[in-house]
Every structure is written in structure tokens, then in C-alpha cells.
Amino acid sequence: MKRSVKYLLFSLIIAISVIIVSVPFWNFANNKRIGFFNEGYTNLPIVTRIGKFPSLVIADDNSAINLIEPTEILLKNRNGHRLNNKLYLLVEKKSTISTEFIKVSINDQIYNIKDISKEEDTYNYYFYLNDFETNSYEEMSLTARIWLSNETNNIESTSTLIANFVVR
């Protein structure tokens, strides 16, 4: 009796293991992708590496492009298919500088943040900047600058801007 119960449990474990392993491969072979397979293998995130930004300066647009050394944003598409990447400026809500004074340039295209609609979550604001398409396994390099508009007033030296670029 004990032997037959052990044999039954062993057979059941083997059968379940075979099913768990074979279902994702069968779905993939038939162009059907179930949730955990899709998340694990076909929709890897875009890797974003961003260089350092210098101290914020107050400048007009022409001066800022010439004065501020750009930082590099490197986008790496780790997926096996073409992706449309939406680039956002993320500003943490605990920043003490008002977003209405922030200006950003991506590849020398200037964005006035106060003119861009924003999305938000509990801790951050997201300002949509642009779309960038990347082919599978392609790397794309963008240059970025951040500065404060020359309309800025009453900014204390202890004021902070906590910002980053994100791809969603």
C-alpha cells in the first residue's frame, strides 16, 4: 500500500512537471504567449543609462545650448522586436524648484516643461518629451541638457531639483 502511494505521488509530480515545462514551449511554437512567458522572455525593459548633470543654471535657450555640456542618455532595446519608446522627464514631488521654470533639450530640441501636460503618481511627475523607435537589440544615444528658464525668480541656493529620464 505504501509503495503504491509513493509511486502515485512520484508519477503525479513527474506529470505536473512535464506539463509546466511543455505548455510555454507549445504556446510559443504556436505564437500564443501566456502571461508569465511573455513577461519573462519577450518584454524585457529598455535599459536606460544616464550620465551626470551639472549644477542647474539660469539661462536663455541659446546660451543654455552653448553653455551646458550635454549628458548622454543611452537606450538599449533588449527585445527581439522593434519598440516605440516614450521618453519622459521624471521630477520627484519633493523637489523644491517649481516645474514651470524647467527647460530640457533632447538632441538640441528644446522643451519648456510648463507647456507639457504632466502625469503623476504618489511621488513623481512625468512630462512626456518624445517618442524614439528602436529596432531589436539596437542602442540609441541621446544628448540631454536641463536648465532653468531666465524667467526664474526667487530661487534659493538650497533649492533642489530631483529629476531623471525614464522610458515607459
Side-chain angles (χ1 to χ4, degrees), residues 36-160:
F36 67 90
F37 191 76
N38 188 21
E39 291 173 11
Y41 296 98
T42 62
N43 197 14
L44 295 171
I46 295 291
V47 176
T48 310
R49 185 181 55 105
I50 300 171
K52 287 187 171 182
F53 282 100
S55 298
L56 283 174
V57 296
I58 297 174
D60 63 84
D61 296 348
N62 292 330
S63 299
I65 295 295
N66 296 324
L67 183 75
I68 301 170
E69 186 176 332
T71 191
E72 179 186 38
I73 301 173
L74 183 64
L75 303 175
K76 293 182 181 180
N77 182 352
R78 292 179 150 181
N79 293 288
H81 55 277
R82 184 180 194 102
L83 285 177
N84 186 23
N85 311 296
K86 293 184 183 290
L87 182 67
Y88 291 85
L89 174 68
L90 175 150
V91 177
E92 289 188 16
K93 288 183 177 179
K94 63 183 177 182
S95 296
T96 59
I97 293 177
S98 172
T99 57
E100 72 180 84
F101 300 120
I102 301 170
K103 293 229 176 174
V104 174
S105 75
I106 303 294
N107 292 343
D108 294 334
Q109 181 177 350
I110 298 173
Y111 301 91
N112 191 348
I113 298 304
K114 72 179 179 183
D115 297 334
I116 299 174
S117 62
K118 67 182 171 188
E119 300 171 22
E120 62 182 283
D121 60 23
T122 307
Y123 303 105
N124 304 308
Y125 296 114
Y126 299 91
F127 298 93
Y128 168 74
L129 299 174
N130 209 339
D131 287 343
F132 297 96
E133 279 200 13
T134 51
N135 292 319
S136 58
Y137 309 110
E138 178 185 19
E139 289 185 13
M140 177 183 282
S141 178
L142 308 171
T143 58
R145 294 174 178 90
I146 294 180
W147 69 95
L148 298 177
S149 153
N150 56 359
E151 300 165 357
T152 304
N153 53 19
N154 299 330
I155 298 290
E156 297 178 18
S157 61
T158 57
S159 298
T160 58

Side-chain angles (χ1 to χ4, degrees), residues 17-38 41-42:
S17 299
V18 167
I19 290 171
I20 288 174
V21 170
S22 64
V23 166
F25 291 112
W26 181 81
N27 282 333
F28 183 70
N30 291 301
N31 281 334
K32 296 177 186 172
R33 297 200 171 111
I34 57 177
F36 67 90
F37 191 76
N38 188 21
Y41 296 98
T42 62

